[in-house]
Amino acid sequence: MELKEILAISGQPGLYKYVAQSTRGVIVESLVDGRRINASASSKVSALTEISMYTEGDDIPLADVFTRIYAHTGGKEAISHKESPEKLRAAFAEAIPEFDRERVHASDIKKCFAWFNTLVAAGFTKFELPEESR
C-alpha cells in the first residue's frame, strides 16, 4: 500500500484506501475498521499526496510532514489528536518548526496528527510521494 492510494473524504472521518472505480464514484476501504463504502462523485475526495502544509517558506507536502513527524517520534505514534490545541501546536512545532503559525489552524494540526497516527497504526513506515509529483 502506497501513500498515493490513501484518500481523505470531506465529511467522513478517518482515512480510506482506494479500492476501485464505480459508476457513481469510487469504492474505498476504511484504514480503521476495513469497512468498504462508496464515495459518491459529488464528494470531495483528496489523495494525501495532493495535500501540503503552509510554512514560512515554500509549502511542504504532507508526505514530508509525516516523514518528519515519524523521525521525531522514532517510528511511534505521535501525540493524540484529542489533546489541547496548545499541546498539539507545541508538539507540531517540535517536528515542523517553520510551519506558518498564522495560516495553519489548530484543526489542521489535529487532523494531521490523527491521520499520522492512523497511518502508523496501519503499518506505514515510509511516506513517499510518487516520482512524477516531485
Side-chain angles (χ1 to χ4, degrees), residues 4 6-7 13 34-36 46 48 51 54 60 70 78 83 86 89 95 103 113 115 125 134:
K4 68 181 179 183
I6 306 302
L7 308 172
R35 287 190 13 228
R36 288 187 177 190
S46 301
L48 293 191
I51 300 172
Y54 294 120
I60 57 175
Y70 189 83
E83 291 287 344
E86 295 79 24
R89 275 194 180 276
R103 297 190 293 172
F113 280 127
W115 288 352
T125 57
R134 285 186 176 249

Side-chain angles (χ1 to χ4, degrees), residues 45-70:
V45 178
S46 301
L48 293 191
T49 55
E50 299 171 352
I51 300 172
S52 61
M53 189 69 72
Y54 294 120
T55 67
E56 293 169 352
D58 291 335
D59 296 350
I60 57 175
L62 194 58
D64 292 345
V65 172
F66 288 158
T67 299
R68 289 170 64 176
I69 294 172
Y70 189 83

Side-chain angles (χ1 to χ4, degrees), residues 21-26 38-42:
Q21 188 73 36
S22 71
T23 56
R24 295 188 179 139
V26 292
N38 183 59
S40 70
S42 62

Side-chain angles (χ1 to χ4, degrees), residues 7-28:
L7 308 172
I9 303 171
S10 181
Q12 297 287 331
L15 294 174
Y16 298 86
K17 176 183 161 197
Y18 173 83
V19 176
Q21 188 73 36
S22 71
T23 56
R24 295 188 179 139
V26 292
I27 299 170
V28 295

